[in-house]
Amino acid sequence: MSADRPFGVYVHIPFCRARCDYCAFATFTDRDHLMEAYAAACVVELTRARAEEALPPATSVFFGGGTPSRLPPDLLVAILDAVPRRPGAEVTVECNPEDAHPALLAAYRAAGVTRISLGVQSTVPHVLAGLGRRHGTARAVEAARAVAEAGFESWNMDLIIGGSGETDADWSRSLGDVLGLESPPPHLSAYSLTVEPGTPLAAAPDRHPDDDVQAGRYEEADRVLVDHGYRWEEISNWAKPGHRCRHNGLYWDQGDYRGIGSAAHSHARGRRWWNVRTPDRYVAAIEAGHPVLSGEEVLTDEQRRFEALALALRTPAGVPLACLPDRPDLVGLVDRSTGRAVLTVRGRLLANAVSARLISDDPVAATGDGAAGLVVAVTGAAGTIAPHA
């Protein structure tokens, strides 16, 4: 790992008060008794990584989950203190609105946290209920105010498109409520609700979102956010200038990162590996001095080139023209006016289909012309493409 390249640390906090019925992440509602031992185990894993892997100082740290804000702040701070960081490192903590109280946020600020990501999802009560979220509209507004008053200049809100019972008017209301805040978030994520196998949502077809409806709401989100000064950062993320999430950029740009905690994923130079899934096994292995590795894979050069292009295509950087042929079926999906192939708004909605047209067998085309270093793993911190903002 080069000392002059960005490097990230992701810490997975698996504890939740309640599990949302659309969630497929490695989270648990009945393991709070492990919190102290889990935090101590994370510190041990970090200590080992520093000694055995020559872990470089991080340019970004991301606490995701699960619900990191459910962990007592002194335990979270103890983990953060064990992470070597470069001056000016970005440090993000995902936070539920019901946890975002001034005392908690002050503790984070004092410890070096620079960024909060609030999981709001919607500001409409019946949509929140349909998503299984416990906070109300008023609490989301109070949390946003508390984050701003605590002095966090960069912070994020998550919204979800397509919750059960959501109408077009409901979606417009959520966007309007967020952008109408006294201090709106300078970074906003809007994820289309996906049906993950094995979740309660998957077992309820009558609550599944409609793709065409979601597409229309996504187009509205892009239009409204651009009108309010936000710039498209990645398919589901928009930020005002100077407020992009640097840690997420690691995933999209194929940076190296080290995952800490149960189910956390790591990447270094084309090798990906992941820890045991449950906090029980993780803590037991750490305490016994055993490895916590659950699995790994090493990508071929061709896999790395393709993933580089597929994830670059998800961003405004796009890909070299030679990597995406000018085909009739891509008309309206790809903009070539800048000298690179960049997805249009409609193209973003069909990104997977467009990615299937990529040509990645030319190493020069895959990594040249401004795309150097874009060798991007498809797994993020807990097993998906970087869902964190």
Coordinates of all heavy atoms in Angstrom, one line a residue, residues 254 272 299 302-312 374-379:
Q254 N -11.3 2.4 -6.8 CA -10.5 1.3 -6.6 C -9.4 1.6 -5.6 O -8.3 1.0 -5.7 CB -10.0 0.6 -7.8 CG -9.2 -0.7 -7.7 CD -9.9 -1.8 -6.9 OE1 -11.1 -1.6 -6.7 NE2 -9.3 -2.8 -6.6
R272 N -9.4 -9.2 -2.5 CA -10.5 -8.9 -1.6 C -10.7 -10.0 -0.5 O -10.5 -11.2 -0.8 CB -11.8 -8.7 -2.4 CG -11.7 -7.6 -3.4 CD -13.1 -7.2 -3.8 NE -13.9 -8.2 -4.6 CZ -14.2 -8.1 -5.9 NH1 -13.9 -7.0 -6.5 NH2 -14.9 -9.0 -6.4
L299 N -8.6 -11.0 -7.9 CA -9.1 -10.7 -9.2 C -8.0 -10.9 -10.3 O -6.9 -10.5 -10.1 CB -9.7 -9.3 -9.2 CG -10.7 -8.9 -8.2 CD1 -11.1 -7.5 -8.4 CD2 -11.9 -9.9 -8.3
E302 N -8.1 -9.0 -16.1 CA -9.3 -8.7 -16.9 C -10.5 -8.3 -15.9 O -11.2 -7.4 -16.2 CB -9.7 -9.9 -17.7 CG -11.1 -9.8 -18.4 CD -11.2 -8.7 -19.4 OE1 -10.1 -8.1 -19.8 OE2 -12.3 -8.3 -19.7
Q303 N -10.7 -9.0 -14.8 CA -11.7 -8.7 -13.9 C -11.5 -7.3 -13.3 O -12.5 -6.5 -13.2 CB -11.7 -9.7 -12.7 CG -12.3 -11.0 -13.1 CD -12.2 -12.0 -12.0 OE1 -11.1 -12.1 -11.3 NE2 -13.2 -12.9 -11.8
R304 N -10.3 -7.0 -13.0 CA -10.0 -5.6 -12.5 C -10.3 -4.5 -13.5 O -10.8 -3.5 -13.2 CB -8.5 -5.5 -12.1 CG -8.2 -6.5 -10.9 CD -6.8 -6.3 -10.4 NE -6.6 -5.0 -9.7 CZ -5.5 -4.5 -9.3 NH1 -4.3 -5.1 -9.6 NH2 -5.5 -3.4 -8.6
R305 N -9.9 -4.8 -14.8 CA -10.2 -3.8 -15.8 C -11.7 -3.6 -16.0 O -12.2 -2.5 -16.1 CB -9.5 -4.2 -17.2 CG -8.0 -4.0 -17.2 CD -7.5 -4.1 -18.6 NE -7.7 -5.4 -19.2 CZ -6.8 -6.4 -19.1 NH1 -5.6 -6.2 -18.5 NH2 -7.0 -7.6 -19.7
F306 N -12.4 -4.7 -16.0 CA -13.9 -4.6 -16.2 C -14.5 -3.8 -15.1 O -15.3 -2.9 -15.3 CB -14.6 -5.9 -16.4 CG -16.1 -5.8 -16.6 CD1 -16.6 -5.4 -17.8 CD2 -16.9 -6.0 -15.5 CE1 -18.0 -5.2 -17.9 CE2 -18.3 -5.8 -15.6 CZ -18.8 -5.4 -16.8
E307 N -14.2 -4.2 -13.9 CA -14.8 -3.5 -12.7 C -14.3 -2.1 -12.6 O -15.1 -1.2 -12.2 CB -14.4 -4.3 -11.4 CG -15.1 -5.6 -11.3 CD -14.8 -6.4 -10.1 OE1 -14.1 -5.8 -9.2 OE2 -15.3 -7.5 -9.9
A308 N -13.1 -1.8 -13.1 CA -12.7 -0.4 -13.1 C -13.7 0.4 -14.0 O -14.1 1.5 -13.6 CB -11.3 -0.3 -13.7
L309 N -13.9 -0.1 -15.2 CA -14.8 0.6 -16.1 C -16.3 0.6 -15.6 O -16.9 1.7 -15.7 CB -14.7 -0.1 -17.5 CG -13.4 0.0 -18.2 CD1 -13.4 -0.9 -19.4 CD2 -13.1 1.4 -18.6
A310 N -16.8 -0.5 -15.1 CA -18.1 -0.5 -14.6 C -18.4 0.5 -13.5 O -19.5 1.1 -13.5 CB -18.5 -1.9 -14.2
L311 N -17.5 0.6 -12.6 CA -17.7 1.6 -11.5 C -17.4 3.0 -12.0 O -18.1 4.0 -11.5 CB -17.0 1.2 -10.3 CG -17.5 0.0 -9.6 CD1 -16.8 -0.3 -8.2 CD2 -19.0 0.0 -9.4
A312 N -16.4 3.2 -12.8 CA -16.2 4.6 -13.3 C -17.4 5.1 -14.1 O -17.7 6.2 -14.1 CB -15.0 4.6 -14.2
L374 N -8.5 3.6 -11.7 CA -9.9 3.2 -11.5 C -10.0 1.7 -11.7 O -10.5 1.2 -12.7 CB -10.8 3.9 -12.6 CG -11.0 5.4 -12.3 CD1 -11.8 6.0 -13.5 CD2 -11.6 5.6 -11.0
V375 N -9.5 0.9 -10.7 CA -9.6 -0.5 -10.7 C -10.4 -0.9 -9.5 O -10.0 -1.0 -8.4 CB -8.2 -1.1 -10.6 CG1 -8.2 -2.6 -10.9 CG2 -7.2 -0.4 -11.6
V376 N -11.8 -0.9 -9.7 CA -12.7 -0.8 -8.6 C -13.3 -2.2 -8.3 O -13.9 -2.8 -9.1 CB -13.8 0.2 -8.9 CG1 -14.7 0.4 -7.8 CG2 -13.1 1.5 -9.4
A377 N -13.2 -2.6 -7.0 CA -13.9 -3.8 -6.5 C -15.4 -3.6 -6.4 O -15.8 -2.5 -6.2 CB -13.3 -4.1 -5.2
V378 N -16.1 -4.6 -6.7 CA -17.6 -4.5 -6.6 C -18.1 -4.6 -5.2 O -19.3 -4.4 -5.0 CB -18.3 -5.5 -7.6 CG1 -18.0 -5.2 -9.0 CG2 -17.9 -6.9 -7.2
T379 N -17.3 -5.1 -4.3 CA -17.8 -5.2 -3.0 C -17.4 -4.0 -2.1 O -16.3 -3.6 -2.2 CB -17.3 -6.5 -2.3 OG1 -15.8 -6.5 -2.4 CG2 -17.8 -7.7 -2.9

